[in-house]
Amino acid sequence: MGAYRGGLNNFAIVGLASKPLHVYGRPTYQCQWVQHQNSTSEQPVSSAGYRILPDWGYGRVYTVVVVNCTFPEPINFNNSGGRLVLRASTSGAGDRDFNLTDTIQILSEQPGEVDFDIFTSPPKYDYLYCGSSLYGSLSPQRVREWLAYHVRLFGGRSHFVIHDAGGVHPEVLEVLKPWMELGYVTLQDIRDQERFDGYYHNQFMVVNDCLHRYKFMAKWMFFFDLDEYIYVEPKNTLRSVLDSLSGYTQFTIEQMTMSSKLCLTDDYGKTYKKWGFEKLVYRDVKRGIRRDRKYVVQPRAVYATGVHMSQNLVGKTNHKTERRIKYFHYHGTIAQRREPCWVLLNTTDATDDNTPYVKDITMRDIAGTVKRFELKMIGPRLQHTRQ
């Protein structure tokens, strides 16, 4: 999928490999740096590659592998150019009489190409969002709402990386374009990976590629989905919350699960005019169940990552962030092209499908501010976006 520098003497390689081979065998990786032929430097430098399997066993035919190549000395430090070669060996797995080895040119650096200052310079962005694989028939309106909300929350020194696994159809692209033109959004075409049978559109590979591709571009990196909304209390700002957590490499965020169909009778006849997080106002309060958390990292100290947290990092993780930051989850609404309000209620609490709910207008109260922000930033060009 990709290969990236992690420093003066370090590289990360992100890709897919046979899951049975990695579950039942012991494949090995050898990294080698070869200087360009016109270089006066010494012989190629080699190092054992350290493999990381970050997908928690969720792989299918293929599993995600991150190979860390750490050399004993700075590589290409004179910027004369060279190439990184990976030798991937089965080490007798599958057939003990054979040690099959693939030799792959992973990365090439041209003379003068590497900007070594990036490893020590302040990052370009304060916050960078790494999105998971987008697929299926997504709602352009829900994407519109999510982007306007989070660009406002994250601020001017932020960036959003959207990964298209087939879900960015023309109507969704029209929603992304204004923010792409302003420099807030990068769209990555990852449709080719759909050929390979990995977990959930190879989600673990995609987030690891994003981690290493933008590792030195942001102070904080966020991992959550397009039906999830980060929220901080009005007395705080996102900056103040993250500053208070700067001693941690990673922190996780508590989920507020919202109904994807319960709305208010006050909105009868005008639900189609309201945004999703504005009209879906009933929060799941069932006790005794474990809810998934999402997370934020300081990427320079992270070697590999997952969907709900990283287990391969240097530093501390904080899971006690409930009073500082949380996220509202409108499960499945991003994939609905119809009006989500199926049931209209005029009560402060309700039960639906044996799940208790309470009225929570936290996000509803922010909707007007977000709409005005969108109008200020990109004008009325998205006013007629469809569900």
Side-chain angles (χ1 to χ4, degrees):
M1 180 70 174
Y4 310 97
R5 268 191 177 267
L8 299 180
N9 67 332
N10 177 269
F11 297 83
I13 305 166
V14 182
L16 296 173
S18 164
K19 181 176 180 179
L21 176 64
H22 283 77
V23 171
Y24 300 108
R26 293 183 179 274
T28 58
Y29 298 93
Q30 187 74 17
C31 308
Q32 185 179 66
W33 179 262
V34 182
Q35 294 291 117
H36 281 325
Q37 290 182 352
N38 59 355
S39 172
T40 59
S41 299
E42 298 179 359
Q43 295 297 314
V45 182
S46 296
S47 174
Y50 177 72
R51 65 167 186 162
I52 303 172
L53 306 179
D55 66 5
W56 298 1
Y58 281 112
R60 291 166 57 87
V61 175
Y62 292 95
T63 193
V64 177
V65 181
V66 177
V67 178
N68 180 286
C69 298
T70 300
F71 293 93
E73 60 191 59
I75 295 298
N76 190 27
F77 194 61
N78 60 4
N79 225 341
S80 59
R83 55 195 173 92
L84 179 66
V85 175
L86 181 69
R87 291 186 171 86
S89 302
T90 61
S91 301
D95 189 331
R96 287 176 293 179
D97 291 339
F98 294 93
N99 182 20
L100 302 177
T101 300
D102 285 333
T103 300
I104 312 162
Q105 180 170 312
I106 293 294
L107 178 147
S108 178
E109 293 178 351
Q110 299 303 312
E113 177 183 0
V114 182
D115 177 12
F116 289 101
D117 290 339
I118 194 173
F119 304 127
T120 54
S121 300
K124 180 179 180 179
Y125 303 113
D126 291 332
Y127 318 123
L128 188 137
Y129 167 77
C130 279
S132 295
S133 311
L134 295 185
Y135 62 93
S137 181
L138 301 183
S139 165
Q141 176 61 24
R142 299 290 91 83
V143 176
R144 171 198 177 190
E145 298 163 1
W146 185 94
L147 262 177
Y149 177 92
H150 285 98
V151 172
R152 175 183 174 273
L153 177 66
F154 282 25
R157 284 176 51 85
S158 65
H159 199 71
F160 299 81
V161 182
I162 306 297
H163 293 96
D164 177 18
V168 182
H169 53 78
E171 290 176 280
V172 171
L173 182 59
E174 287 303 309
V175 169
L176 299 179
K177 278 182 178 179
W179 301 107
M180 294 169 68
E181 293 165 4
L182 290 176
Y184 283 99
V185 172
T186 292
L187 180 62
Q188 298 277 10
D189 183 353
I190 60 164
R191 288 172 291 179
D192 195 44
Q193 57 77 33
E194 290 289 292
R195 297 183 295 139
F196 302 102
D197 186 9
Y199 172 77
Y200 209 72
H201 304 266
N202 293 308
Q203 183 179 18
F204 284 90
M205 181 179 69
V206 169
V207 295
N208 274 280
D209 185 79
C210 189
L211 166 71
H212 290 287
R213 184 186 296 264
Y214 296 99
K215 189 171 190 173
F216 297 97
M217 295 288 284
K219 178 172 175 56
W220 292 98
M221 193 172 281
F222 286 72
F223 296 87
F224 60 104
D225 295 328
L226 259 65
D227 57 2
E228 299 167 342
Y229 287 69
I230 302 296
Y231 177 80
V232 296
E233 297 291 342
K235 63 181 180 180
N236 295 320
T237 64
L238 186 61
R239 179 178 297 278
S240 68
V241 169
L242 294 184
D243 285 348
S244 73
L245 294 164
S246 61
Y248 297 92
T249 299
Q250 173 178 239
F251 66 87
T252 60
I253 310 174
E254 181 186 26
Q255 177 183 164
M256 302 287 108
T257 308
M258 302 298 288
S259 168
S260 58
K261 65 179 181 180
L262 302 181
C263 301
L264 295 174
T265 52
D266 288 349
D267 293 339
Y268 177 75
K270 51 188 177 182
T271 55
Y272 68 96
K273 295 181 180 180
K274 295 188 177 297
W275 285 15
F277 66 85
E278 181 181 11
K279 57 192 172 186
L280 294 165
V281 297
Y282 284 90
R283 176 166 53 86
D284 178 346
V285 290
K286 181 179 285 189
R287 297 179 179 272
I289 61 174
R290 177 189 173 278
R291 301 187 193 276
D292 289 334
R293 300 175 74 93
K294 293 302 168 73
Y295 69 104
V296 186
V297 299
Q298 298 195 60
R300 296 189 184 201
V302 180
Y303 295 108
T305 199
V307 173
H308 296 291
M309 65 178 293
S310 169
Q311 294 181 316
N312 304 98
L313 51 80
V314 176
K316 300 180 295 181
T317 295
N318 189 336
H319 298 291
K320 302 293 184 180
T321 60
E322 285 77 4
R323 296 184 180 180
R324 286 182 269 189
I325 188 170
K326 54 190 174 184
Y327 75 95
F328 287 83
H329 186 193
Y330 302 84
H331 180 69
T333 53
I334 190 71
Q336 295 178 2
R337 298 297 304 271
R338 53 169 175 74
E339 167 59 48
C341 291
W342 281 20
V343 180
L344 300 180
L345 303 170
N346 62 359
T347 60
T348 56
D349 54 65
T351 300
D352 183 67
D353 292 334
N354 296 317
T355 299
Y357 292 89
V358 297
K359 181 180 174 182
D360 186 336
I361 59 172
T362 301
M363 294 293 289
R364 183 183 179 92
D365 288 345
I366 306 173
T369 303
V370 177
K371 292 176 182 179
R372 289 189 294 272
F373 172 79
E374 182 199 59
L375 193 62
K376 174 185 174 182
M377 292 293 290
I378 63 173
R381 59 192 291 185
L382 300 181
Q383 294 296 308
H384 300 292
T385 302
R386 298 171 56 195
Q387 297 276 357

